Amino acid sequence: MPRVLLVEDDVSVRDALEMALRRHRHDVTTAATGEDGLKYLHAGGADIVVLDLMLPDIDGFEVCRRIRAHSAVPIVMLTARSNDIDVVSGLEAGADDYVIKPVIPRVLDARIRAVLRRTVQTDGHAENHGGLVIDRSAVSVTNDGEPVGLTPTELRLLLTLSGAPARVFSRQQLLQLVWEHDYLGDSRIVDACVQRVRAKIEDVPACPVYIQTVRGFGYRFGPL
């Protein structure tokens, strides 16, 4: 059973989501504040964090940043607002996906399971791209000999792009391949994840060498 840490201050929402997730066969631990969520995560761990953005002490953005400072655990954020600032800020802070309130439990369950499925299929070879080495057998990435800490989503995005260097992927294709979104999803998820990966593997993220933008279409790996 996947271990879910649910951080939500609204008791009625928290109780309803806890019951629904348990019905979907998740092992759920709950927290009402950001600080408590961080304590529970540090003490007991979790396979995934479901994190509300509007919390009474420290907000979900800061919780997300603190988690990302030491952990690659997947994060699905809950937000009552779908405006660009909230969504993009949460994704840039390190969230893997988001769900808009009011939450439909089966949608949240599907998103959780999709994130947890983002494991890497290994084929036993390493790719050497100058200083960047992607070892698919060891499921690891190094840059100039230093390990690069990527979340499962970031790693899957990088491996999807690097696995076909000559191919240009549209944002919609990446949503389907990496996030398993089979609808016309939100390309902000892709763009924010690309920015995070660039920050970790590029010497100058504003002038990327590895992940190139193809204007008006999407992304490709390697020089244009």
Side-chain angles (χ1 to χ4, degrees):
M1 296 176 65
R3 297 176 302 157
V4 178
L5 172 60
L6 171 63
V7 186
E8 165 64 63
D9 67 307
D10 187 315
V11 63
S12 61
V13 173
R14 186 173 67 246
D15 289 349
L17 288 180
E18 180 182 7
M19 290 177 59
L21 290 174
R22 289 187 184 280
R23 284 198 300 269
H24 286 286
R25 300 185 60 79
H26 297 284
D27 180 6
V28 184
T29 299
T30 64
T33 68
E35 292 288 1
D36 282 346
L38 291 169
K39 290 176 183 176
Y40 285 133
L41 185 62
H42 178 73
D47 297 313
I48 190 166
V49 177
V50 177
L51 174 65
D52 185 32
L53 289 184
M54 299 297 107
L55 295 170
D57 52 350
I58 54 174
D59 63 30
F61 304 111
E62 179 61 21
V63 174
C64 197
R65 284 189 287 267
R66 292 193 192 181
I67 292 173
R68 282 289 169 261
H70 62 79
S71 174
V73 63
I75 300 171
V76 175
M77 61 184 188
L78 306 179
T79 176
R81 295 174 289 179
S82 59
N83 67 66
D84 287 350
I85 294 176
D86 281 349
V87 171
V88 172
S89 296
L91 295 170
E92 289 179 346
D96 295 273
D97 207 342
Y98 71 93
V99 175
I100 301 296
K101 290 182 174 180
V103 178
I104 300 173
R106 59 181 173 80
V107 172
L108 178 58
D109 172 61
R111 295 289 181 87
I112 289 172
R113 294 186 184 280
V115 170
L116 293 175
R117 282 196 299 269
R118 288 173 201 167
T119 55
V120 177
Q121 300 298 317
T122 62
D123 54 13
H125 77 278
E127 304 167 10
N128 194 326
H129 307 278
L132 185 71
V133 177
I134 303 171
D135 190 334
R136 291 175 180 263
S137 178
V139 195
S140 66
V141 178
T142 59
N143 195 14
D144 293 330
E146 295 295 324
V148 179
L150 298 172
T151 69
T153 303
E154 292 164 357
L155 180 59
R156 186 160 174 172
L157 174 68
L158 178 60
L159 291 177
T160 298
L161 291 168
S162 68
R167 177 179 175 182
V168 179
F169 291 86
S170 71
R171 290 171 175 83
Q172 186 60 36
Q173 288 170 327
L174 290 171
L175 277 169
Q176 293 171 342
L177 292 168
V178 178
W179 282 265
E180 300 184 20
H181 287 190
D182 56 358
Y183 60 93
L184 293 176
D186 191 340
S187 64
R188 293 173 296 186
I189 297 176
V190 179
D191 296 336
C193 192
V194 166
Q195 291 177 10
R196 297 201 310 265
V197 175
R198 281 175 172 166
K200 295 178 179 181
I201 68 172
E202 302 281 1
D203 291 335
V204 184
C207 300
V209 173
Y210 299 115
I211 300 181
Q212 299 283 341
T213 300
V214 180
R215 294 192 180 278
F217 192 73
Y219 299 98
R220 61 166 286 169
F221 187 86
L224 295 173

